[in-house]
Amino acid sequence: MGKQIKTVGVLTSGGDAPGMNACIRAVTRAAIFNGIKVMGIYRGYEGLINGEIKEFTSESVSNTVQRGGTILKTARSKEFMTEEGLKKAYDNLQAFGIDALIVIGGNGSLTGAQRLAREFDYPVIGLPGTIDNDLYGTDSTIGYDTALNTIVDCVDKIRDTATSHDRIFFVEVMGRDAGFLAQNSAIAAGAEAAIIPEDQTDVDQLEQFISRGFRKSKNSSIVIVSESPKDGGAMYYAERVRKEYPQYDVRVTILGHLQRGGTPTAFDRILASRLGYASIEALKEGQRNVMVGIHDDEIVYVPIDRAVKKDKPIDRELINVLGVLSI
Ligand code: F6P
C-alpha cells in the first residue's frame, strides 16, 4: 500500500468527448465526499506543465452534468511528449501537492499517464474518455454513445435527400483507427455497407456491394466510411465509384467535428458518473496505474499499458448483421 492520497489532480486531454464534464463532476464530488482535496488542471498536460491549476469545490462542477465539451479544456501537448516536458509536469504535481492524477482521455492521453507512472513511480488512474471507443478492456468509452447517436441522426437526414435523388452517399465518420462508430451507426441507420479499418477486405466489400446492383431493390444507398489517413476515406471511395460506374450519382458527406459536440446522452452521463466515482474508490483501494472501465455492467480495472495497445476487437457478428440486413 503506497502513501495515503490527500489531494488528487484531474485533467482532460486529447479530443474532447460528451460526458467528460459529468466525469469531472463525479471525480470532484466523490473525492470531496471522501475528504480528498481536488485540483482541476486546465488544458490537459499543457496546463499541467504551465501550472494552470486551481482547487475545485463542489460548486466548481455545478450545472455541468448535461454540458458537452470539457470545462477543464483540453489540448494535445507536444511538450509533454519530450523528456523535459514530462519532468516539468511531474515537478508541478509535486509543487501543487498533488498525490495522484486522474486522466480522462483516449489512447494518447492514457499513454501519457503511463509515462508519468513509469518514469516517476507516480500514482495515476485513467478514465476512458473518447468518442472512438478504442480502449481495450471497457465495453464503452465516455462520449461514444452520444457520438453514435449524433451520427445516426445525421445519416437519417442524409437518407431523405439520398432517396429523393436516387443517390449513393459516402458518409465519413470519425474513429481514427477503429471502426466502432462506423459499424454500429451503419446498423442503426440501416446503411447498405460500412468500410472499417478492422476489415482487411474493405476494397472487395465495396465491389461486392456495387456488383450486387444496389439499385435493383433500392432507390438510395448509404455507405459509412471510417476516416482513414491511409486510403483517403470517403472521398477515395466516391472517386472510385464515379470513375468505374459513371452511371451512378455519388455524393460525399464528412461529418467531422460535429460528432464530438452536443449534450451527452443519459447513457454517457451515467457511465461518466459511475467511472468518475469509481476512480476515487480505486485510489482508496490502493489501485495504481489502471484504467477504470466497464464490462458487463461491472466496474473493472485494466492495466493502462493493456488498455492502450490499440487492439480492441470489433465483434465480427456486427459485420455479419449489417451484411445480412442490408441485402
Ligand atoms: O480521438 C478522437 C478523434 O475524434 C478521432 O476520431 C479523430 O481522428 C481525431 O479525434 C481528430 O482530432 P483533432 O481534429 O481534434 O485533432
Side-chain angles (χ1 to χ4, degrees), residues 178-180 183-184 196 198 312-319:
F180 297 98
Q183 190 67 32
N184 283 314
I196 58 169
E198 290 87 344
K312 182 175 184 176
I314 197 151
D315 185 350
R316 305 300 298 180
E317 198 181 74
L318 294 172
I319 297 175

Side-chain angles (χ1 to χ4, degrees), residues 56-134:
F56 261 35
T57 63
S58 185
E59 287 72 40
S60 312
V61 293
S62 290
N63 193 12
T64 58
V65 73
Q66 80 286 13
R67 283 168 60 190
T70 160
I71 56 166
L72 280 175
K73 311 253 181 181
T74 186
R76 298 188 198 276
S77 174
K78 287 213 173 74
E79 193 179 354
F80 183 70
M81 308 292 273
T82 65
E83 284 306 310
E84 301 77 56
L86 183 69
K87 176 75 173 56
K88 275 194 207 166
Y90 175 70
D91 287 346
N92 266 343
L93 287 166
Q94 300 298 103
F96 283 83
I98 299 171
D99 304 316
L101 180 64
I102 297 175
V103 173
I104 309 167
N107 216 288
S109 311
L110 267 47
T111 305
Q114 172 81 4
R115 284 176 66 222
L116 271 172
R118 250 198 213 133
E119 198 78 15
F120 302 104
D121 193 19
Y122 185 82
V124 295
I125 298 285
L127 292 175
T130 164
I131 66 164
D132 297 340
N133 198 28
D134 59 349

Side-chain angles (χ1 to χ4, degrees), residues 14-16 76 106-107 129-132 134 173-177 181 227 257 259-260:
D16 61 347
R76 298 188 198 276
N107 216 288
T130 164
I131 66 164
D132 297 340
D134 59 349
V173 301
M174 281 187 170
R176 211 185 287 260
D177 304 317
L181 283 172
E227 64 175 346
H257 290 79
Q259 296 163 91
R260 287 226 299 247

Side-chain angles (χ1 to χ4, degrees), residues 202-216:
D202 56 358
V203 171
D204 299 337
Q205 255 189 346
L206 182 72
E207 256 154 30
Q208 252 178 27
F209 154 73
I210 297 287
S211 63
R212 220 164 50 206
F214 79 99
R215 288 273 164 116
K216 286 201 186 98

